[in-house]
């Protein structure tokens, strides 16, 4: 892999620490120190003025603008409108003057810069000394109460100083990708402001309360703020609680009075609630690794960010590929949600898993309209989206990556299989299954040569082969989609005619799956084996990322992959394939994979572990959990790779724990990396909390909460209870 760690942050099991400040690293740090709570997120920008390079970023899930997409010719079926999550208000807005000089770390001398994210408590602190004063900034985005953000600034000095502090809420941040501020001021009053987006008409109402009385107002256009004059002797703390309310549509209309009630609670009280909620989360979600501090810090950072990004309070929201940490990828939801994120939530927060799927149910109307635009029936789910419509302006992806729709059906199947939530299946999942099947039945066609059914003109997950026929991953997922829909309709009685069911059955049975029994290889798509070889292993690292350095069409002329495709299928439906098939296909495709997508290494690590390639599994794993802390892809400055963090979680639980969730019962084949002494993870299985601890000699399965559960460990079935079940580790 042409990827290298860039070590900047200190390694610590519970914290990410920045000791000293390198302005060149400023944006990476802003991403790393991002805080969020599903509802809103804020980057780690400095509170006070900083005239150096920065991206002041504040995002609200579901608050977006759009722009038209146009094409010179041939445009029917292409996305016409691109929605993007916009940069919103800087509710940490602060200006500090010490004895008349403005604090700006790009302009004044400072020492002892220290910043940490404490993942146990979800609090970011930053301290340094400048202008004769020691400053400590503390902030949190309340995980226990979505509308609340907290900020505290402590000033300390032996000498006395006159501090002029300006604090408030600022709606002037520019959305950098579009070079535009998207807000106008709708209303402003004492300590509150309502910002309204320029065209979508959505509003954010923000109100704040401080522990100190203001000396005067410091309002300017789009900014509500006060000036506080502080005579500093020794030590002084300023606390601000902000209530932010995002009115996405009529159903979420602003309730002004709720803010006053919410602001009766103090900074310290909210902070205590926030810390207590994080303690609860860690109680059932932590992974402990003994013997590898890098992986320990890395995986906690991933778990922390998965919970920060989503916990399923609102079925109209989803996970953006970069969460709420930057503008890149525009807050869009991808197929990552059902394929990579769903397992994390299914086993850590089943309500969140359900709501990821409810989001698809809630956007069925848009998916049906999209199918019609593409001359198809049923529902076609978008490649990238915020509001359920397709936002992908690159038609090759938006129109050809039809595996996204199969991922939705896969998500329904995977969720129901592991949670037993048949109520969801009957009420919502059924419709998703029927409409996705209808789409594929109409999107595919019959080969006149072989009489097989197939999907033509597609792009598989690999993305480096465009407009191909019969991508094996896609065809297999669609076959499964048909079969599960038929099974569900027969069991629970959906509104589908016998003819339609028979049609899906025939298409499933006759689906082309390119497989060579002699070599045991699945051909990625028709003609893939004919493509010229490209030596990925000796690729010039300076020619990466590929999308930047390669002529676009040259990518499609060789057999190099962007990310797993056949290998992904072997993982998702692990129980359907033999060890030999997995080994042979892994050996074949791994060599040809460039891992241009950050989703790639974890899946390779998982399958490498399964087929006994332990060294390779470890190498891939190191990258996965620290992708952002060590800025492996050199693009952490754009925001965090949140959905890849879900893959990193799978890397441990599925990769080393050997968990597989595609069978009748959950199964495990535990192993342990060379370097580790022991590791431990917890998962929620059908309401019970299971703890798994694996040492070099044994694996111990025990229930922490709940009755009993049945698991397959190795080749044997066990009833797991509160009395530990001990098995040996191979
Ligand atoms: C990958 C896609 C993925 C997207 C968002 C792309 O680089 O190729 O599969 O959905 O990133 O994570």
């Amino acid at each position: 892999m042409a990827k290298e760690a860039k070590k900047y942050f200190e390694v610590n099991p519970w914290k990410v620490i920045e000791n000293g400040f390198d302005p060149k690293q400023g944006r990476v740090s802003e991403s790393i120190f991002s805080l969020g709570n599903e509802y809103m997120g804020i980057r780690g920008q400095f509170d006070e003025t900083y005239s150096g390079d920065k991206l002041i970023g504040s995002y609200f899930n579901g608050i977006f603008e759009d722009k038209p997409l146009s094409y010179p010719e041939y445009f029917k079926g292409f996305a016409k409108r691109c929605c993007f999550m916009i940069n919103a208000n800087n509710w940490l807005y602060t200006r500090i003057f010490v004895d008349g000089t403005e604090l700006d770390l790009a302009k004044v001398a400072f020492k002892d810069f220290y910043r940490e994210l404490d993942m146990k408590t979800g609090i970011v602190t930053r301290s340094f000394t400048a202008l004769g004063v020691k400053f400590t900034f503390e902030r949190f985005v309340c995980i226990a109460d979505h509308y609340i953000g907290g900020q505290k600034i402590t000033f300390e000095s032996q000498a006395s100083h006159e501090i002029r502090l300006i604090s408030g809420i600022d709606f002037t941040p520019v959305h950098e990708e579009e070079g535009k501020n998207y807000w106008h001021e709708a209303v402003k009053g004492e300590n509150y402001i309502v910002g309204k987006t320029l065209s979508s008409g959505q509003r954010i109402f923000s109100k704040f309360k401080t522990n100190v009385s203001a000396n005067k107002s410091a309002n300017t256009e789009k900014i509500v703020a006060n000036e506080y004059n502080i005579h500093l002797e020794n030590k002084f703390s300023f606390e601000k609680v902000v209530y932010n309310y995002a009115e996405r549509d009529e159903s979420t209309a602003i309730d002004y009075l709720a803010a006053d009630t919410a602001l009766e609670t103090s900074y310290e009280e909210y902070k205590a609630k926030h810390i207590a909620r994080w303690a609860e989360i860690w109680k059932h979600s932590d992974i402990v690794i003994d013997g590898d501090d890098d992986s320990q810090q890395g995986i906690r950072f991933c778990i922390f960010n998965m919970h920060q990004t989503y916990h399923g309070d609102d079925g109209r929201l989803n996970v953006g590929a970069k969460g709420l940490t930057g503008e890149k990828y525009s807050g869009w939801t991808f197929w990552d949600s059902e394929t990579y994120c769903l397992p994390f939530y299914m086993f850590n927060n089943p309500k969140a898993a359900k709501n990821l799927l409810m989001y698809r149910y809630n956007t069925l109307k848009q998916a049906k309209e999209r199918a019609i635009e593409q001359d198809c029936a049923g529902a076609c789910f978008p490649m990238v989206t915020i509001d359920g419509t397709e936002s992908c302006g690159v038609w090759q992806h938006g129109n050809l990556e039809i595996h996204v729709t199969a991922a939705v059906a896969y998500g329904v199947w995977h969720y129901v299989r592991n949670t037993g939530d048949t109520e969801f299946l009957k009420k919502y999942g059924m419709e998703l299954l029927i409409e996705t099947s209808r789409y594929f039945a109409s999107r595919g066609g019959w080969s006149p040569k072989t009489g097989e059914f197939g999907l033509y003109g597609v792009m598989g997950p690999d993305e480096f082969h465009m407009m191909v026929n019969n991508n094996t991953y896609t065809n297999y997922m669609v076959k499964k989609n048909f079969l599960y829909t038929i099974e569900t309709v027969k069991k629970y009685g959906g509104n589908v005619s016998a003819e339609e069911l028979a049609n899906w059955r025939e298409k499933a049975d006759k689906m082309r799956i390119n497989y060579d029994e002699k070599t045991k290889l699945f051909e990625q798509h028709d003609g893939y084996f004919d493509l010229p070889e490209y030596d990925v292993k000796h690729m010039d690292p300076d020619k990466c990322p590929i999308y930047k350095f390669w002529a676009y069409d040259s990518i499609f002329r060789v057999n190099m992959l962007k990310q797993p495709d056949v290998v992904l299928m072997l993982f998702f439906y692990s129980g359907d394939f033999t060890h030999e098939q997995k080994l042979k296909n892994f050996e074949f495709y791994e060599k040809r994979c460039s891992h241009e997508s950050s989703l790639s290494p974890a899946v390779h690590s998982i399958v490498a572990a399964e087929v006994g390639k332990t060294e390779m599994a470890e190498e891939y794993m190191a990258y996965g959990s620290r992708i952002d802390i060590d800025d492996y892809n050199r693009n952490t400055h754009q925001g965090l790779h949140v959905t890849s963090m879900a893959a990193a979680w799978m890397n441990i639980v599925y990769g080393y724990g050997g968990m597989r969730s595609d069978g009748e019962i959950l199964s495990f084949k535990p192993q342990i990396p060379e370097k580790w002494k022991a590791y431990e993870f917890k998962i929620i299985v059908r309401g019970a909390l299971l703890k798994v601890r694996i040492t070099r000699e044994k694996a111990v399965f025990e229930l922490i909460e709940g009755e009993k559960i049945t698991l397959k460990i190795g080749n044997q079935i066990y009833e797991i209870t509160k009395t530990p079940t001990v098995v040996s580790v191979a």
Side-chain angles (χ1 to χ4, degrees), residues 22-81:
D22 175 359
K24 289 200 287 305
Q25 187 71 15
R27 285 184 182 234
V28 172
S29 297
E30 282 171 0
S31 297
I32 293 289
F33 293 108
S34 289
L35 291 176
N37 64 6
E38 166 174 314
Y39 192 76
M40 60 183 175
I42 194 130
R43 280 169 64 83
Q45 67 246 15
F46 292 172
D47 309 52
E48 75 284 7
T49 300
Y50 179 61
S51 55
D53 182 44
K54 64 185 172 296
L55 171 59
I56 292 182
S58 158
Y59 309 99
F60 287 78
N61 210 334
I63 295 288
F64 63 95
E65 281 278 24
D66 62 5
K67 59 181 179 190
L69 294 169
S70 59
Y71 312 87
E73 252 179 276
Y74 293 119
F75 46 80
K76 183 173 182 301
F78 291 180
K80 302 290 186 312
R81 170 177 162 263

Side-chain angles (χ1 to χ4, degrees), residues 321 329 334-336 383 401 461 463 562-563 596-597 599 643:
Y329 279 157
F334 291 71
W335 68 306
D336 308 27
M383 178 63 197
E401 291 202 52
E463 288 190 351
K562 179 177 180 184
Q563 63 199 80
E596 174 91 342
S597 164
L599 295 171
T643 51

Side-chain angles (χ1 to χ4, degrees), residues 193-257:
I193 182 165
V194 178
K196 188 170 178 184
T197 58
L198 295 183
S199 49
S200 69
Q202 294 173 310
R203 299 192 300 168
I204 290 177
F205 162 58
S206 301
K207 188 161 187 170
F208 68 98
K209 192 167 174 183
T210 60
N211 63 336
V212 189
S213 310
N215 293 78
K216 58 179 180 187
S217 154
N219 289 351
T220 53
E221 207 203 333
K222 301 190 203 181
I223 295 177
V224 64
N226 293 323
E227 181 173 318
Y228 304 85
N229 299 323
I230 300 153
H231 176 71
L232 177 65
E233 295 274 359
N234 206 7
K235 188 171 178 177
F236 178 82
S237 285
F238 172 85
E239 291 168 2
K240 176 164 112 184
V241 176
V242 184
Y243 178 90
N244 280 307
Y245 188 88
E247 182 187 72
R248 290 189 295 266
D249 50 37
E250 307 81 53
S251 67
T252 52
I254 297 172
D255 175 356
Y256 291 93
L257 292 180

